[in-house]
Amino acid sequence: MTLFSGITLVTPVLRINNRERNTEFYRKNLGFKVLKEENSQVFFGGHQEKLVRFSIEESPSMRVRAVEGPKKLASVIIKAEDPKEIESLLASGVSFSHLFKGEKGYAYEILSPENDVILLHAENDWTGLEEISREGLTFSSLPNFQGLSNFTIEQLILNVADLPESQAFYKKLAGLDFLPDLQEAQGEDLKAAENTTWDLEFIEYHVPADYDFLALKTYFEEAGLSVYLDRGQRVLVVSDPSQIELWFSKWKEY
């Protein structure tokens, strides 16, 4: 058993401007199901599995602003369980920016209302996708199609201002079942405070009910990191060099 055994990804949380506009985008263009709305947050999942996989949090423009330059979140890679459901979304008329074909079927890249790049596919290896032209193609829809039955966040690709610094941070988390991919970029807001721009806000993980948060807190502190642990020892938060928060929380129902 390692310190990170049993810890699993729950959801990335994206800070957005307009909740209604973004909710409609994720429903119609990616086939997500709204599982719950709580205050300013919306929690999405599949229509069959109904586990939270993706979340957004509204922060209006009087408090938060658009990113200047590249965003911390370079792209989100989403894997659907059924490739026929991706074709059904294409048949509904989604406004994709790039169309791809793989061994299992179609895939597409799309821009969210906050200019987040999202790739939806169903391949074993998305890097083998080949871009194709839309011209002349006809897409078929499944009968009674409502949206994606099941999907997972396969990868988050982050733009970072200092690649070695960020790599050193995430090396301390080696053993987690999910870690973002990193690529170096230049931009004024790549180290902006998480509550100031519409960008990736935090990544949430779940830990087992009997998890020893004090051991994890000690590990991070000995690594020179600042750690928040709530009084009830239910949530531990640490920030990466880009000021993206990583939340480790004990199971809660959404």
Side-chain angles (χ1 to χ4, degrees), residues 205-224:
Y205 296 87
H206 273 165
V207 304
D210 59 351
Y211 189 81
D212 185 355
F213 266 142
L214 291 178
L216 184 60
K217 181 174 184 289
T218 298
Y219 171 78
F220 283 139
E221 289 175 339
E222 289 179 347

Side-chain angles (χ1 to χ4, degrees), residues 131-204:
E131 188 166 4
I132 60 173
S133 171
R134 167 69 173 86
E135 187 175 354
L137 294 177
T138 301
F139 302 116
S140 300
S141 182
L142 295 168
N144 303 314
F145 175 72
Q146 293 182 307
L148 298 182
S149 298
N150 303 309
F151 69 90
T152 56
I153 304 300
E154 185 171 33
Q155 193 54 272
L156 300 175
I157 301 175
L158 306 183
N159 287 318
V160 298
D162 186 328
L163 185 58
E165 180 185 34
S166 293
Q167 288 175 330
F169 170 85
Y170 282 103
K171 187 175 181 180
K172 297 179 176 70
L173 280 73
L176 277 177
D177 73 329
F178 178 93
L179 289 172
D181 280 347
L182 309 173
Q183 61 185 32
E184 195 157 31
Q186 295 182 346
E188 294 183 11
D189 287 333
L190 290 181
K191 287 195 174 185
E194 56 79 27
N195 61 350
T196 60
T197 58
W198 295 314
D199 208 333
L200 178 61
E201 181 181 359
F202 65 91
I203 305 170
E204 183 177 5

